[in-house]
Amino acid sequence: MSTAWSPLVADAIDQVEALMAQSLSSQVPLLHHAAGLVVSAGGKRLRPTVLLLSQRAVGGGDVPFAVRLAAAVEMVHTASLVHDDINDRSDLRRGQPAVRTRWGDAAALLVGDFVFVRLLGLVAEAGVEAIQLLAQACGALVEGETLQLLSTWDASLTAERYLEIIGQKTAVLLATCAELGALTAGAAIDERKALHAYGYHLGLAYQIRDDTLDLIGDRERMGKPNASDLDQGLLSLPALHALRMRPELASCVRERNPEPLKAAIRETGGVEEATTAARVQAEAAAAALAPLPPSAARDELERLARWAAERER
Ligand code: FPP
Ligand code: MG
């Protein structure tokens, strides 16, 4: 049975699942087993869903083409999570032991590489434009992750800079998913731009909420560890708000002591501040869809944006 987020694209999501599994077969049992596990382990399929709904929202088009691209973007995302768990020293992903927990960091590096490399076969015939969009998104992903690494324990980080970093790390790929959907439908440039903007704001809402859930979320429900970002010096909106209200806590950041900051987040309403910011981005995403004709797919995209800001997992 399909676990698709939207019934409109449930069949296509099933095809995405099958295509990913097929693309990740290998003669090397470790790669075959580990890559198979990570793609089948309960991801939300947010990126394929955005791509497929975007195609429908601008009139539909070549569904098999969109399915291939949807599998490719989900594989970019999955590969990046396998690598991210190495960087974050995280033991749990999607409710399962992370690849690094089962097989170690060195093997996890290779499994991530394998998932990433195999998507090239999927996009080989996608055309120059789609490949260029995908290449730019992958570049932004790695750049964003690198900027985040360089900003750990940085008491001078601002909310604006944080939004730029998560924009690169998360929002560009979602913007690209929406734009690729439009591309596969042969949409006009203003519709492509509208969907790109939608995906970007959706990505910001999603990541602001993700970083907030890291502070308040439930480990079981989230399927990944929580309260780990601050311990690693990653400052997101709740912490940046607390720092703005209590500038004297900058010294704790420099001394790598997150505990006073955790208390200050509670006392200054940092979580509420971040929740509002996520909602602002969700509304901006919904507003970006205005140039598109009314349709069930457009309604689903709107619903998805609001869910991104409110979700509990
Ligand atoms: C999750 O963020 C991580 C990302 C969105 C990007 C990670 C990118 C890399 C590690 C670069 C490698 C890229 C490729 C394509 C192989 P998070 O840590 O905030 O989320 P989490 O709470 O789910 O871990
Ligand atoms: Mg992480």
Side-chain angles (χ1 to χ4, degrees):
M1 205 193 75
S2 175
T3 53
W5 194 86
S6 164
L8 290 179
V9 295
D11 287 350
I13 291 286
D14 285 346
Q15 291 168 36
V16 169
E17 304 286 354
L19 195 53
M20 288 196 295
Q22 188 190 322
S23 306
L24 291 168
S25 74
S26 170
Q27 304 279 2
V28 179
L30 188 151
L31 293 176
H32 187 86
H33 187 53
L37 269 183
V38 288
V39 294
S40 64
K44 302 180 190 80
R45 307 307 188 218
L46 176 64
R47 291 151 189 83
T49 300
V50 167
L51 196 154
L52 294 161
L53 282 175
S54 296
Q55 186 195 48
R56 288 179 73 111
V58 288
D62 183 344
V63 175
F65 181 25
V67 164
R68 288 182 89 76
L69 289 175
V73 293
E74 187 65 7
M75 284 164 71
V76 171
H77 172 61
T78 305
S80 78
L81 293 184
V82 174
H83 284 178
D84 183 60
D85 287 337
I86 302 173
N87 288 354
D88 290 352
R89 293 175 212 90
S90 187
D91 59 350
L92 200 65
R93 174 65 68 180
R94 296 172 173 170
Q96 308 281 335
V99 177
R100 65 177 290 271
T101 317
R102 287 184 205 243
W103 287 282
D105 283 354
L109 189 62
L110 293 165
V111 171
D113 289 344
F114 180 68
V115 176
F116 190 71
V117 166
R118 279 294 167 92
L119 73 90
L120 295 176
L122 281 174
V123 298
E125 288 165 26
V128 175
E129 217 178 352
I131 292 173
Q132 272 174 349
L133 284 174
L134 210 52
Q136 279 165 12
C138 292
L141 185 82
V142 180
E143 285 171 351
E145 184 72 6
T146 308
L147 292 173
Q148 176 179 282
L149 180 72
L150 297 174
S151 74
T152 52
W153 303 114
D154 178 0
S156 69
L157 183 70
T158 60
E160 291 69 31
R161 183 70 180 145
Y162 162 82
L163 289 174
E164 280 171 21
I165 293 173
I166 66 166
Q168 298 269 90
K169 185 181 90 159
T170 303
V172 170
L173 184 59
L174 276 155
T176 301
C177 290
E179 190 171 355
L180 284 172
L183 181 75
T184 63
I189 192 73
D190 58 330
E191 291 186 329
R192 262 176 73 162
K193 281 188 181 158
L195 280 166
H196 183 99
Y198 162 81
Y200 194 83
H201 288 296
L202 167 72
L204 292 181
Y206 186 89
Q207 190 65 46
I208 293 169
R209 185 66 186 157
D210 208 67
D211 293 342
T212 308
L213 286 171
D214 185 79
L215 282 168
I216 60 166
D218 176 270
R219 181 182 160 101
E220 294 305 314
R221 190 154 21 118
M222 298 288 291
K224 60 187 180 184
N226 54 295
S228 52
D229 286 353
L230 250 184
D231 291 326
Q232 295 180 61
L234 292 174
L235 306 176
S236 63
L237 285 187
L240 295 172
H241 174 74
L243 266 177
R244 213 164 46 240
M245 304 302 283
R246 306 257 175 93
E248 68 278 11
L249 290 178
S251 59
C252 299
V253 176
R254 283 192 291 272
E255 288 154 15
R256 305 191 171 204
N257 170 19
E259 295 311 319
L261 204 53
K262 288 181 190 170
I265 290 170
R266 282 191 296 276
E267 289 154 16
T268 63
V271 167
E272 292 72 15
E273 183 82 4
T275 304
T276 303
R279 287 179 182 149
V280 167
Q281 293 302 331
E283 290 314 312
L289 297 173
L292 271 50
S295 69
R298 194 185 82 170
D299 291 347
E300 289 288 72
L301 288 171
E302 244 187 87
R303 190 165 72 89
L304 194 58
R306 300 210 166 95
W307 164 84
E310 306 295 336
R311 69 202 171 89
E312 296 293 331
R313 57 176 284 265

